[in-house]
Each structure stands twice: as C-alpha cells, then as structure tokens.
C-alpha cells in the first residue's frame, strides 16, 4: 500500500507543478511530506458494547432516515461493503434507497442476494448523470431526514445513531435542525488503512464558500432536500450545490444576517464516514474530475448571485478550493460582515497571528506563509471568532465601537484603508502584545454580540517588525 501511495503522490505533484509552477509546488510538496510524517491518525471504531447500548436507546427514538445511494456499475465488493455498513447500523430506523443507472445488471444481482425489507432498489432507464440518478432515489424517500452516501463508501456503525441523538437533543431545546454533518476520514480500497481525517469546524459560511468542507456524512431535512432537488448543471458537485442552496434558504431573504449559531445546522465532531480511495476516485485523483470543481465554482457563483453579493469566484491552487474577490470590496457588498481581518507575518516569514479562537488562541501561528495548513484552511477565506486589529478593515459602525474602546479617533491607513494601528495605538505610547490582543478580543466579542460576522482574509497581510 505504501508504494501505491507514493506513486499517487508523485502523480499529484506532477499535476500540481504543471498547473502552478516551481515555487508553489516546492512548498506544497514540502508541506505534504511534513504533514504525512506527523500524521499519527488511527480510526478507533465504537466497541460492540457501545453499539449494543445505542441499539437499546434507539428503541425510544423516532427519527427516520432515508439513505440515498446513486449506483453505477459498482464493483461487487464495494457495493456489498456499502450495503453491509448501512445494515450494521446501531440505529435501525432507516430505508436504503439505491438508484441504479448501470447498463448492466451487476448491481441488481448483488442486491437480489439481500432480503432486508429496508433496502429499496430502483432501476433507471438510462444514465443521465449523478444528479438525475440521485434525484430518482430522493423521489422515493419517506424519512424525516435524507442522507447522502456514495456507492463505494461506508458508514461507521454509529453514524445514524449519532445523527438521531443530535436531532433529538436539539428538538428538546426547541430547534428543528435542517442540516447535520460529521467528521470523516479516507480509507484504502480494502478498508485496511484509514488516514487523512477531516476534523471539521462548526458551521462556517465563508469557509463553505471556499470549499465543501461539510461533504460527508451529510443529512438534510427530507422535505427541504426534495424542494431543492439536484441540478444536473452541477454534476460532480451536486452535493456541494444543494448544501449552499439549502444555506441560502435558511439565511432567508434578509441580507442582514445574524451570527452563525442561529442557523439550524449542527456539526457532530466524530468520524462517521469512510471515503474510499482508489485510483479512479476523486479522493485519490482530484484531476480525474476537473468538471466537478468547475461545477463547484458555479455553485458558489449562484450563491452570490441569489444573495446579491457582487464577486468573482476563482479556483485556488488546490483543486476544489475557491476564493471570492468582492467588488469593490467585501464590506460594501455584505451587510452581514462588520470586520475583515488579515494575516500577520513575522521576520521569519511565518504566521504570527491574525485569526484566533474566541479566547484568543491563534489558529495558524508558526506556519510558513507559503503553507496552506491543515485541509488548506490557512489559505481560505473563513468566518472568524476573533481577528487582529493590526491587520483589519471595519465598517462605519465598527469604527465607532473601536473609537469608544480606545478612547481615541479611528484612523484608516491612507494607502490600504485598513485600521492604522500604528497611528492610533503607538502615537502616544507603546502598547504591549498582550494589550493589543486583549483589545482585539474584546472588540471582536462586541461585534459578534451585535450579530455581525467577522471574516478572515488570508491574502490581506501585515508584516510585523519582530
């Protein structure tokens, strides 16, 4: 297996070199080697005892799931592994709907060997693409929530239980969730090796517009999914497309949006999905489906158009990752955003700060400025809990708040339009690092309390003197 991975990485490197040139490829390759050397991930499945306990609890839970699987000439061993992973769920209130667009009968013959009544098989007359195939499965769905599962991937044994438990927890708090997603990892063709775990953040609008980080495992209110439907124009990125359109619906028509916690979306911080990698899969060979990344770009462009945000979407160096350049700037375009923060770089060309947790912990500190970080997130626009006032643009309302907190007038830098922190903070005295960070934290907390979003823009850079 190690030999296969090395060959695969070589192919990826050559494709990246051709697309991006020598310098970016050097740093991308160097970062990947360092990351893989330090990756000690091991998937630990739930114990048999834990699954038995979940089965007992599930007897008192009422949520019903429809698992949608578009199949096409699926290998028998992968198809059986997928079906078996669903049938082995500790939470049994589901239907598995397999829509088969194969020209042969290989999928049908495998399904005929199963007698479980929860499996529903539908044969399509022709292969009209994955969106059309998924739509056929969706048309027969009757569950409260619909989940998307690829025909050669597998669910962990506790996947549906964790989803049901989360749904019921929120219902007790008076919230009817419309979208849920979990962490995921990748596995090799034989499910012998698990790697590249994707630990995801809670819902993050601007990160979602940069990349479909939600991906697998996803469940959505069945009625909402049926109302939206899958669009063939976004084949290859049909899941991404329906997610961003669902978010658009949840955000409503009012452009002034409250903070992210108000959207009925939940993240379950557990690996519930294994994304199978083989040479023909998108996970293993991203360039094999360039059309899918173009479709993802269209999905983001449509989101902006519906919201009335004027911007140009472009591909980043890594396939499946995007950035939006707003016209003429982000703040005038988006009434939901009050602050845009950038990246602080030290003398060693490493990230010194710029984006932090709500408590002030830096997210990418120490990372070389040319590196993209875990899941490339250090190179992506994203919502932030806290940014640094030393590299920041703000709306007029936020200017007034900062003036109040500083006890001094707000000054924009004449060249960049950013907050001129040297003029405002260093004019009268020297502020210590801790004081600047504390002011940044308190200021961003005020902004969040007012219901505004804070966005981190990694291409906005401030070089520090130390």
């Amino acid at each position: 297996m190690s030999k296969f991975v090395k060959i695969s990485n070589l192919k990826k490197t050559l494709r990246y070199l051709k697309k991006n040139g020598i310098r970016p490829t050097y740093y991308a390759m160097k970062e990947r080697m360092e990351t893989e050397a330090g990756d000690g991930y091991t998937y630990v499945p739930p114990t048999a005892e834990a699954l038995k306990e979940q089965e007992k609890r599930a007897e008192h839970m009422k949520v019903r799931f429809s698992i949608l699987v578009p199949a096409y000439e699926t290998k028998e061993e992968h198809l059986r592994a997928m079906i078996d992973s669903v049938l082995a769920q500790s939470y049994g209130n589901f239907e598995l709907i397999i829509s088969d667009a194969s020209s042969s009968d290989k999928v049908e013959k495998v399904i005929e060997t199963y007698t479980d009544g929860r499996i529903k098989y539908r044969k399509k007359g022709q292969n009209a693409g994955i969106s059309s195939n998924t739509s056929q499965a969706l048309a027969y769905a009757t569950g409260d929530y619909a989940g998307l599962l690829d025909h050669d991937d597998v669910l962990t044994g506790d996947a549906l239980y964790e989803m049901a438990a989360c749904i019921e927890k929120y219902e007790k708090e008076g919230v009817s969730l419309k979208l849920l997603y979990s962490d995921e990892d990748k596995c090799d063709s034989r499910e012998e090796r698990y790697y590249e775990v994707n630990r995801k953040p809670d819902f993050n609008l601007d990160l979602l517009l940069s990349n479909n980080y939600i991906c697998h495992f996803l469940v959505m209110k069945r009625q909402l999914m049926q109302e939206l439907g899958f669009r063939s124009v976004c084949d290859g990125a049909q899941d991404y497309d329906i997610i961003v359109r669902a978010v658009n619906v949840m955000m409503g028509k009012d452009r002034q949006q409250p903070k992210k916690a108000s959207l009925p979306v939940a993240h379950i911080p557990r690996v519930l999905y294994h994304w199978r990698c083989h040479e023909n899969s998108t996970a293993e060979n991203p360039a094999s489906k360039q059309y899918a990344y173009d479709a993802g770009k269209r999905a983001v462009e449509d989101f902006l158009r519906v919201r009335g945000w004027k911007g140009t979407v472009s591909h980043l160096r890594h396939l499946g990752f995007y950035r939006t350049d707003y016209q003429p700037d982000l703040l005038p375009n988006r009434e939901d955003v009050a602050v845009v923060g950038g990246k602080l770089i030290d003398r060693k060309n490493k990230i010194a700060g710029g984006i932090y947790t709500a408590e002030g912990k830096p997210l990418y500190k120490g990372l070389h400025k040319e590196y993209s970080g875990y899941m490339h997130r250090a190179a992506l626009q994203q919502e932030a809990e806290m940014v640094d006032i030393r590299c920041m643009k703000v709306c007029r309302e936020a200017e007034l708040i900062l003036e109040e907190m500083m006890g001094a007038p707000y000054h924009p830098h004449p060249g960049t339009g950013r907050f001129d922190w040297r003029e405002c903070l260093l004019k009268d005295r020297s502020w210590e690092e801790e004081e600047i960070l504390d002011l940044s934290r308190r200021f961003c907390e005020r902004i969040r309390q007012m219901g505004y979003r804070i966005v981190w823009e990694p291409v906005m850079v401030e070089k520090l003197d130390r």
Side-chain angles (χ1 to χ4, degrees), residues 208-232:
L208 180 61
L209 297 180
S210 302
N211 168 249
N212 181 16
Y213 79 90
I214 287 179
C215 204
H216 309 303
F217 178 45
L218 160 76
V219 303
M220 186 184 297
K221 269 282 192 180
R222 186 259 306 166
Q223 184 177 359
L224 175 59
M225 187 178 287
Q226 289 178 332
E227 289 172 356
L228 293 171
F230 292 90
R231 303 191 302 169
S232 294

PDB file of all heavy atoms in Angstrom, residues 208-232:
ATOM      1  N   LEU A 208     -17.331  27.570   3.907  1.00  0.00           N
ATOM      2  CA  LEU A 208     -18.134  26.766   2.995  1.00  0.00           C
ATOM      3  C   LEU A 208     -18.080  27.325   1.579  1.00  0.00           C
ATOM      4  O   LEU A 208     -18.065  26.566   0.605  1.00  0.00           O
ATOM      5  CB  LEU A 208     -19.587  26.707   3.481  1.00  0.00           C
ATOM      6  CG  LEU A 208     -20.554  25.899   2.609  1.00  0.00           C
ATOM      7  CD1 LEU A 208     -20.126  24.437   2.524  1.00  0.00           C
ATOM      8  CD2 LEU A 208     -21.975  26.009   3.142  1.00  0.00           C
ATOM      9  N   LEU A 209     -18.037  28.651   1.447  1.00  0.00           N
ATOM     10  CA  LEU A 209     -17.940  29.259   0.120  1.00  0.00           C
ATOM     11  C   LEU A 209     -16.546  29.100  -0.469  1.00  0.00           C
ATOM     12  O   LEU A 209     -16.336  29.346  -1.664  1.00  0.00           O
ATOM     13  CB  LEU A 209     -18.309  30.742   0.190  1.00  0.00           C
ATOM     14  CG  LEU A 209     -19.740  31.047   0.628  1.00  0.00           C
ATOM     15  CD1 LEU A 209     -19.970  32.550   0.666  1.00  0.00           C
ATOM     16  CD2 LEU A 209     -20.765  30.374  -0.276  1.00  0.00           C
ATOM     17  N   SER A 210     -15.593  28.663   0.352  1.00  0.00           N
ATOM     18  CA  SER A 210     -14.226  28.416  -0.115  1.00  0.00           C
ATOM     19  C   SER A 210     -13.978  26.958  -0.448  1.00  0.00           C
ATOM     20  O   SER A 210     -13.069  26.641  -1.219  1.00  0.00           O
ATOM     21  CB  SER A 210     -13.213  28.855   0.961  1.00  0.00           C
ATOM     22  OG  SER A 210     -13.374  30.214   1.296  1.00  0.00           O
ATOM     23  N   ASN A 211     -14.786  26.077   0.143  1.00  0.00           N
ATOM     24  CA  ASN A 211     -14.576  24.641  -0.032  1.00  0.00           C
ATOM     25  C   ASN A 211     -15.753  23.889   0.573  1.00  0.00           C
ATOM     26  O   ASN A 211     -16.299  24.308   1.589  1.00  0.00           O
ATOM     27  CB  ASN A 211     -13.271  24.210   0.664  1.00  0.00           C
ATOM     28  CG  ASN A 211     -13.125  22.714   0.790  1.00  0.00           C
ATOM     29  OD1 ASN A 211     -13.183  22.169   1.885  1.00  0.00           O
ATOM     30  ND2 ASN A 211     -12.931  22.039  -0.323  1.00  0.00           N
ATOM     31  N   ASN A 212     -16.139  22.781  -0.035  1.00  0.00           N
ATOM     32  CA  ASN A 212     -17.199  21.962   0.544  1.00  0.00           C
ATOM     33  C   ASN A 212     -16.635  21.153   1.705  1.00  0.00           C
ATOM     34  O   ASN A 212     -16.452  19.940   1.620  1.00  0.00           O
ATOM     35  CB  ASN A 212     -17.798  21.022  -0.499  1.00  0.00           C
ATOM     36  CG  ASN A 212     -18.931  20.169   0.076  1.00  0.00           C
ATOM     37  OD1 ASN A 212     -19.458  20.475   1.138  1.00  0.00           O
ATOM     38  ND2 ASN A 212     -19.281  19.111  -0.622  1.00  0.00           N
ATOM     39  N   TYR A 213     -16.354  21.851   2.792  1.00  0.00           N
ATOM     40  CA  TYR A 213     -15.779  21.169   3.949  1.00  0.00           C
ATOM     41  C   TYR A 213     -16.824  20.288   4.640  1.00  0.00           C
ATOM     42  O   TYR A 213     -16.484  19.375   5.390  1.00  0.00           O
ATOM     43  CB  TYR A 213     -15.195  22.183   4.943  1.00  0.00           C
ATOM     44  CG  TYR A 213     -16.215  22.862   5.816  1.00  0.00           C
ATOM     45  CD1 TYR A 213     -16.579  22.321   7.039  1.00  0.00           C
ATOM     46  CD2 TYR A 213     -16.849  24.047   5.415  1.00  0.00           C
ATOM     47  CE1 TYR A 213     -17.533  22.933   7.842  1.00  0.00           C
ATOM     48  CE2 TYR A 213     -17.787  24.666   6.207  1.00  0.00           C
ATOM     49  CZ  TYR A 213     -18.135  24.102   7.413  1.00  0.00           C
ATOM     50  OH  TYR A 213     -19.087  24.706   8.195  1.00  0.00           O
ATOM     51  N   ILE A 214     -18.106  20.529   4.396  1.00  0.00           N
ATOM     52  CA  ILE A 214     -19.168  19.737   5.022  1.00  0.00           C
ATOM     53  C   ILE A 214     -19.168  18.315   4.469  1.00  0.00           C
ATOM     54  O   ILE A 214     -19.138  17.338   5.207  1.00  0.00           O
ATOM     55  CB  ILE A 214     -20.535  20.411   4.819  1.00  0.00           C
ATOM     56  CG1 ILE A 214     -20.624  21.657   5.721  1.00  0.00           C
ATOM     57  CG2 ILE A 214     -21.682  19.448   5.132  1.00  0.00           C
ATOM     58  CD1 ILE A 214     -21.920  22.423   5.591  1.00  0.00           C
ATOM     59  N   CYS A 215     -19.225  18.164   3.179  1.00  0.00           N
ATOM     60  CA  CYS A 215     -19.054  16.910   2.464  1.00  0.00           C
ATOM     61  C   CYS A 215     -19.785  15.729   3.121  1.00  0.00           C
ATOM     62  O   CYS A 215     -21.001  15.686   3.146  1.00  0.00           O
ATOM     63  CB  CYS A 215     -17.560  16.629   2.290  1.00  0.00           C
ATOM     64  SG  CYS A 215     -17.184  15.551   0.891  1.00  0.00           S
ATOM     65  N   HIS A 216     -19.053  14.765   3.688  1.00  0.00           N
ATOM     66  CA  HIS A 216     -19.633  13.556   4.266  1.00  0.00           C
ATOM     67  C   HIS A 216     -19.454  13.551   5.788  1.00  0.00           C
ATOM     68  O   HIS A 216     -18.466  14.060   6.268  1.00  0.00           O
ATOM     69  CB  HIS A 216     -18.933  12.311   3.731  1.00  0.00           C
ATOM     70  CG  HIS A 216     -18.825  12.243   2.246  1.00  0.00           C
ATOM     71  ND1 HIS A 216     -19.907  12.290   1.389  1.00  0.00           N
ATOM     72  CD2 HIS A 216     -17.745  12.138   1.441  1.00  0.00           C
ATOM     73  CE1 HIS A 216     -19.502  12.206   0.144  1.00  0.00           C
ATOM     74  NE2 HIS A 216     -18.189  12.115   0.140  1.00  0.00           N
ATOM     75  N   PHE A 217     -20.284  12.984   6.558  1.00  0.00           N
ATOM     76  CA  PHE A 217     -21.575  12.434   6.267  1.00  0.00           C
ATOM     77  C   PHE A 217     -22.602  13.551   6.438  1.00  0.00           C
ATOM     78  O   PHE A 217     -22.579  14.246   7.443  1.00  0.00           O
ATOM     79  CB  PHE A 217     -21.847  11.245   7.195  1.00  0.00           C
ATOM     80  CG  PHE A 217     -23.185  10.605   7.040  1.00  0.00           C
ATOM     81  CD1 PHE A 217     -23.725  10.326   5.808  1.00  0.00           C
ATOM     82  CD2 PHE A 217     -23.927  10.282   8.154  1.00  0.00           C
ATOM     83  CE1 PHE A 217     -24.966   9.721   5.679  1.00  0.00           C
ATOM     84  CE2 PHE A 217     -25.163   9.671   8.038  1.00  0.00           C
ATOM     85  CZ  PHE A 217     -25.687   9.382   6.804  1.00  0.00           C
ATOM     86  N   LEU A 218     -23.474  13.701   5.487  1.00  0.00           N
ATOM     87  CA  LEU A 218     -24.444  14.788   5.483  1.00  0.00           C
ATOM     88  C   LEU A 218     -25.855  14.226   5.520  1.00  0.00           C
ATOM     89  O   LEU A 218     -26.179  13.300   4.777  1.00  0.00           O
ATOM     90  CB  LEU A 218     -24.260  15.628   4.212  1.00  0.00           C
ATOM     91  CG  LEU A 218     -25.447  16.505   3.800  1.00  0.00           C
ATOM     92  CD1 LEU A 218     -25.524  17.731   4.700  1.00  0.00           C
ATOM     93  CD2 LEU A 218     -25.332  16.929   2.346  1.00  0.00           C
ATOM     94  N   VAL A 219     -26.691  14.773   6.392  1.00  0.00           N
ATOM     95  CA  VAL A 219     -28.127  14.509   6.326  1.00  0.00           C
ATOM     96  C   VAL A 219     -28.854  15.849   6.332  1.00  0.00           C
ATOM     97  O   VAL A 219     -28.394  16.816   6.936  1.00  0.00           O
ATOM     98  CB  VAL A 219     -28.639  13.605   7.480  1.00  0.00           C
ATOM     99  CG1 VAL A 219     -27.906  12.282   7.516  1.00  0.00           C
ATOM    100  CG2 VAL A 219     -28.564  14.316   8.816  1.00  0.00           C
ATOM    101  N   MET A 220     -29.973  15.897   5.629  1.00  0.00           N
ATOM    102  CA  MET A 220     -30.755  17.119   5.490  1.00  0.00           C
ATOM    103  C   MET A 220     -32.225  16.789   5.654  1.00  0.00           C
ATOM    104  O   MET A 220     -32.648  15.659   5.347  1.00  0.00           O
ATOM    105  CB  MET A 220     -30.513  17.733   4.098  1.00  0.00           C
ATOM    106  CG  MET A 220     -31.159  19.087   3.854  1.00  0.00           C
ATOM    107  SD  MET A 220     -30.913  19.678   2.136  1.00  0.00           S
ATOM    108  CE  MET A 220     -29.129  19.843   2.090  1.00  0.00           C
ATOM    109  N   LYS A 221     -33.002  17.735   6.139  1.00  0.00           N
ATOM    110  CA  LYS A 221     -34.442  17.539   6.200  1.00  0.00           C
ATOM    111  C   LYS A 221     -34.926  17.052   4.839  1.00  0.00           C
ATOM    112  O   LYS A 221     -34.671  17.689   3.819  1.00  0.00           O
ATOM    113  CB  LYS A 221     -35.148  18.846   6.571  1.00  0.00           C
ATOM    114  CG  LYS A 221     -35.368  19.053   8.052  1.00  0.00           C
ATOM    115  CD  LYS A 221     -36.549  18.223   8.552  1.00  0.00           C
ATOM    116  CE  LYS A 221     -36.941  18.662   9.963  1.00  0.00           C
ATOM    117  NZ  LYS A 221     -38.081  17.867  10.471  1.00  0.00           N
ATOM    118  N   ARG A 222     -35.607  15.932   4.829  1.00  0.00           N
ATOM    119  CA  ARG A 222     -36.015  15.332   3.558  1.00  0.00           C
ATOM    120  C   ARG A 222     -36.870  16.280   2.727  1.00  0.00           C
ATOM    121  O   ARG A 222     -36.686  16.421   1.512  1.00  0.00           O
ATOM    122  CB  ARG A 222     -36.750  14.023   3.834  1.00  0.00           C
ATOM    123  CG  ARG A 222     -37.111  13.236   2.580  1.00  0.00           C
ATOM    124  CD  ARG A 222     -38.570  13.408   2.187  1.00  0.00           C
ATOM    125  NE  ARG A 222     -39.453  13.088   3.288  1.00  0.00           N
ATOM    126  CZ  ARG A 222     -40.741  13.408   3.302  1.00  0.00           C
ATOM    127  NH1 ARG A 222     -41.273  14.072   2.287  1.00  0.00           N
ATOM    128  NH2 ARG A 222     -41.506  13.097   4.354  1.00  0.00           N
ATOM    129  N   GLN A 223     -37.786  16.983   3.368  1.00  0.00           N
ATOM    130  CA  GLN A 223     -38.656  17.890   2.629  1.00  0.00           C
ATOM    131  C   GLN A 223     -37.854  19.020   1.986  1.00  0.00           C
ATOM    132  O   GLN A 223     -38.098  19.386   0.829  1.00  0.00           O
ATOM    133  CB  GLN A 223     -39.728  18.470   3.550  1.00  0.00           C
ATOM    134  CG  GLN A 223     -40.735  19.351   2.828  1.00  0.00           C
ATOM    135  CD  GLN A 223     -41.841  19.849   3.754  1.00  0.00           C
ATOM    136  OE1 GLN A 223     -41.868  19.531   4.935  1.00  0.00           O
ATOM    137  NE2 GLN A 223     -42.758  20.632   3.206  1.00  0.00           N
ATOM    138  N   LEU A 224     -36.867  19.557   2.706  1.00  0.00           N
ATOM    139  CA  LEU A 224     -36.032  20.621   2.156  1.00  0.00           C
ATOM    140  C   LEU A 224     -35.231  20.103   0.966  1.00  0.00           C
ATOM    141  O   LEU A 224     -35.129  20.776  -0.068  1.00  0.00           O
ATOM    142  CB  LEU A 224     -35.092  21.158   3.233  1.00  0.00           C
ATOM    143  CG  LEU A 224     -34.055  22.198   2.788  1.00  0.00           C
ATOM    144  CD1 LEU A 224     -34.738  23.421   2.192  1.00  0.00           C
ATOM    145  CD2 LEU A 224     -33.140  22.584   3.953  1.00  0.00           C
ATOM    146  N   MET A 225     -34.661  18.904   1.104  1.00  0.00           N
ATOM    147  CA  MET A 225     -33.888  18.338   0.003  1.00  0.00           C
ATOM    148  C   MET A 225     -34.759  18.117  -1.228  1.00  0.00           C
ATOM    149  O   MET A 225     -34.341  18.379  -2.369  1.00  0.00           O
ATOM    150  CB  MET A 225     -33.222  17.031   0.442  1.00  0.00           C
ATOM    151  CG  MET A 225     -32.263  16.463  -0.598  1.00  0.00           C
ATOM    152  SD  MET A 225     -31.427  14.942  -0.066  1.00  0.00           S
ATOM    153  CE  MET A 225     -30.255  15.582   1.140  1.00  0.00           C
ATOM    154  N   GLN A 226     -35.989  17.659  -1.014  1.00  0.00           N
ATOM    155  CA  GLN A 226     -36.882  17.427  -2.145  1.00  0.00           C
ATOM    156  C   GLN A 226     -37.327  18.732  -2.789  1.00  0.00           C
ATOM    157  O   GLN A 226     -37.497  18.805  -4.008  1.00  0.00           O
ATOM    158  CB  GLN A 226     -38.094  16.594  -1.704  1.00  0.00           C
ATOM    159  CG  GLN A 226     -37.749  15.136  -1.408  1.00  0.00           C
ATOM    160  CD  GLN A 226     -38.927  14.324  -0.918  1.00  0.00           C
ATOM    161  OE1 GLN A 226     -39.852  14.860  -0.306  1.00  0.00           O
ATOM    162  NE2 GLN A 226     -38.898  13.023  -1.170  1.00  0.00           N
ATOM    163  N   GLU A 227     -37.509  19.767  -1.983  1.00  0.00           N
ATOM    164  CA  GLU A 227     -37.874  21.069  -2.539  1.00  0.00           C
ATOM    165  C   GLU A 227     -36.747  21.650  -3.386  1.00  0.00           C
ATOM    166  O   GLU A 227     -36.995  22.264  -4.435  1.00  0.00           O
ATOM    167  CB  GLU A 227     -38.222  22.044  -1.407  1.00  0.00           C
ATOM    168  CG  GLU A 227     -39.541  21.734  -0.719  1.00  0.00           C
ATOM    169  CD  GLU A 227     -39.764  22.599   0.517  1.00  0.00           C
ATOM    170  OE1 GLU A 227     -38.841  23.378   0.864  1.00  0.00           O
ATOM    171  OE2 GLU A 227     -40.842  22.497   1.125  1.00  0.00           O
ATOM    172  N   LEU A 228     -35.509  21.447  -2.959  1.00  0.00           N
ATOM    173  CA  LEU A 228     -34.363  21.985  -3.687  1.00  0.00           C
ATOM    174  C   LEU A 228     -34.019  21.144  -4.902  1.00  0.00           C
ATOM    175  O   LEU A 228     -33.769  21.664  -5.991  1.00  0.00           O
ATOM    176  CB  LEU A 228     -33.151  22.076  -2.751  1.00  0.00           C
ATOM    177  CG  LEU A 228     -33.246  23.082  -1.609  1.00  0.00           C
ATOM    178  CD1 LEU A 228     -32.081  22.895  -0.647  1.00  0.00           C
ATOM    179  CD2 LEU A 228     -33.255  24.507  -2.138  1.00  0.00           C
ATOM    180  N   GLY A 229     -33.977  19.839  -4.740  1.00  0.00           N
ATOM    181  CA  GLY A 229     -33.625  18.935  -5.826  1.00  0.00           C
ATOM    182  C   GLY A 229     -32.154  19.035  -6.214  1.00  0.00           C
ATOM    183  O   GLY A 229     -31.424  19.921  -5.770  1.00  0.00           O
ATOM    184  N   PHE A 230     -31.730  18.101  -7.034  1.00  0.00           N
ATOM    185  CA  PHE A 230     -30.346  18.074  -7.524  1.00  0.00           C
ATOM    186  C   PHE A 230     -30.314  18.586  -8.953  1.00  0.00           C
ATOM    187  O   PHE A 230     -31.153  18.221  -9.777  1.00  0.00           O
ATOM    188  CB  PHE A 230     -29.776  16.656  -7.442  1.00  0.00           C
ATOM    189  CG  PHE A 230     -29.590  16.172  -6.040  1.00  0.00           C
ATOM    190  CD1 PHE A 230     -30.612  15.498  -5.382  1.00  0.00           C
ATOM    191  CD2 PHE A 230     -28.405  16.401  -5.364  1.00  0.00           C
ATOM    192  CE1 PHE A 230     -30.461  15.059  -4.077  1.00  0.00           C
ATOM    193  CE2 PHE A 230     -28.234  15.969  -4.056  1.00  0.00           C
ATOM    194  CZ  PHE A 230     -29.261  15.298  -3.414  1.00  0.00           C
ATOM    195  N   ARG A 231     -29.331  19.429  -9.251  1.00  0.00           N
ATOM    196  CA  ARG A 231     -29.247  20.066 -10.569  1.00  0.00           C
ATOM    197  C   ARG A 231     -28.143  19.431 -11.414  1.00  0.00           C
ATOM    198  O   ARG A 231     -26.987  19.381 -10.991  1.00  0.00           O
ATOM    199  CB  ARG A 231     -28.969  21.561 -10.420  1.00  0.00           C
ATOM    200  CG  ARG A 231     -29.992  22.311  -9.569  1.00  0.00           C
ATOM    201  CD  ARG A 231     -29.815  23.799  -9.695  1.00  0.00           C
ATOM    202  NE  ARG A 231     -28.476  24.246  -9.307  1.00  0.00           N
ATOM    203  CZ  ARG A 231     -28.007  25.471  -9.534  1.00  0.00           C
ATOM    204  NH1 ARG A 231     -28.769  26.358 -10.151  1.00  0.00           N
ATOM    205  NH2 ARG A 231     -26.794  25.804  -9.137  1.00  0.00           N
ATOM    206  N   SER A 232     -28.516  18.983 -12.591  1.00  0.00           N
ATOM    207  CA  SER A 232     -27.549  18.337 -13.481  1.00  0.00           C
ATOM    208  C   SER A 232     -26.443  19.286 -13.907  1.00  0.00           C
ATOM    209  O   SER A 232     -25.332  18.845 -14.228  1.00  0.00           O
ATOM    210  CB  SER A 232     -28.264  17.777 -14.718  1.00  0.00           C
ATOM    211  OG  SER A 232     -29.136  16.725 -14.353  1.00  0.00           O
TER     212      SER A 232
END
